[in-house]
Amino acid sequence: MTTDPASGDQAARHDAQQAHSQPSQPEPPQRGRAQGTGSAGPAPDAAGQKNPYVDFTGYRVRMPASWPTSVRAALPSFRGGIGSIVRTAHMPMDARIGYWVWLIGCVLAIIGWVFSIAAILLGILFNPIILVGTGMMSLFGDIRWGVILFYVATMMLSLVVLLLQLTLSLKIREGAEWARAGLTALTVLSIVYSIILTAAGLESGGGGTVAVSVISLALLAFFWMPQANAWFLRTTDNGAGRIDAAGAPM
């Protein structure tokens, strides 16, 4: 059968007019692009993030960014040997001075604690007058067990505090920001405790003990100097606790 070419052209023109008259359907938007974001989801709002620092005209302080997660992580590292505790070339001068003051002070205080215990024991064995002077025995020879128990508890607490201060001082050499905060808090609590005992008349050292505690608090200022403070922040952000073979923070 023969097809008329004119009728075929007319049908083609009719189909083209219908296709032109129908509105084009828009392409469905891809998920994520309709909101102006990529396929990974909305971008984080940097302005909404909380600033961990408190800025005083360029001097920045913050709560410690990390804390030890185990007892092993809280203890000083002696990877470079016991002699590594005297290697302080990696520390700024302010922190170095504070470290040596606290290290020597803690060692001397522990030695003094041992001599105090030895003096009490010798007094019990050979010279009861020492016991009378400390209030553990009356002039009539009566043993005051309450005073003895309180003295023993106080001495044990003092030893625990001294050992904690020594441990925190050694961790400060590693640039641990949390150790600096812990040493500061522990010293403040020790001052408050000494003031309470002195006010209650239970502290034999009296004002001298409080004065020593206040001096200890003043010596903490070395760790909060601008250069030392920047070193603590930088060391913590770079990963405090990683020690090289020489015993210095990496």
Side-chain angles (χ1 to χ4, degrees), residues 8-240:
D9 294 341
Q10 184 177 2
R13 286 195 300 270
H14 178 71
D15 293 338
Q17 290 176 359
Q18 287 184 346
H20 182 73
S21 61
Q22 293 179 355
S24 59
Q25 297 295 331
E27 181 182 359
Q30 296 181 1
R31 183 174 300 177
R33 293 185 179 179
Q35 289 79 15
T37 60
S39 59
D45 185 7
Q49 296 179 354
K50 185 177 180 181
N51 186 5
Y53 296 98
V54 178
D55 199 321
F56 298 98
T57 63
Y59 180 89
R60 300 188 304 169
V61 294
R62 66 182 180 188
M63 290 296 293
S66 61
W67 296 89
T69 57
S70 63
V71 176
R72 182 178 180 180
L75 295 177
S77 174
F78 299 102
R79 181 181 177 185
I82 192 67
S84 62
I85 64 176
V86 300
R87 301 190 184 109
T88 57
H90 61 283
M91 303 173 68
M93 184 58 64
D94 298 339
R96 191 182 310 176
I97 294 175
Y99 170 75
W100 280 111
V101 169
W102 273 94
L103 180 63
I104 296 174
C106 288
V107 172
L108 292 178
I110 292 174
I111 294 175
W113 183 92
V114 173
F115 275 104
S116 297
I117 293 295
I120 295 300
L121 294 177
L122 291 176
I124 294 175
L125 297 175
F126 304 106
N127 191 1
I129 296 179
I130 296 178
L131 298 180
V132 175
T134 57
M136 297 182 185
M137 179 184 293
S138 66
L139 294 175
F140 303 100
D142 297 329
I143 301 296
R144 297 174 177 174
W145 292 106
V147 177
I148 293 177
L149 292 176
F150 178 80
Y151 181 82
V152 172
T154 302
M155 292 299 293
M156 294 306 298
L157 180 60
S158 299
L159 179 61
V160 171
V161 171
L162 288 174
L163 292 177
L164 285 176
Q165 288 178 334
L166 178 61
T167 301
L168 292 173
S169 298
L170 293 175
K171 289 298 293 186
I172 281 178
R173 190 192 72 86
E174 301 174 14
E177 187 183 11
W178 65 266
R180 177 183 63 166
L183 184 60
T184 303
L186 185 61
T187 304
V188 172
L189 292 176
S190 299
I191 294 175
V192 174
Y193 180 71
S194 300
I195 292 175
I196 293 175
L197 292 183
T198 302
L202 301 175
E203 177 63 58
S204 59
T209 303
V210 177
V212 171
S213 300
V214 173
I215 292 175
S216 299
L217 183 62
L219 293 176
L220 286 171
F222 287 106
F223 299 131
W224 295 93
M225 293 292 184
Q227 289 186 356
N229 182 65
W231 176 70
F232 278 107
L233 299 180
R234 183 174 63 254
T235 304
T236 299
D237 292 338
N238 291 339

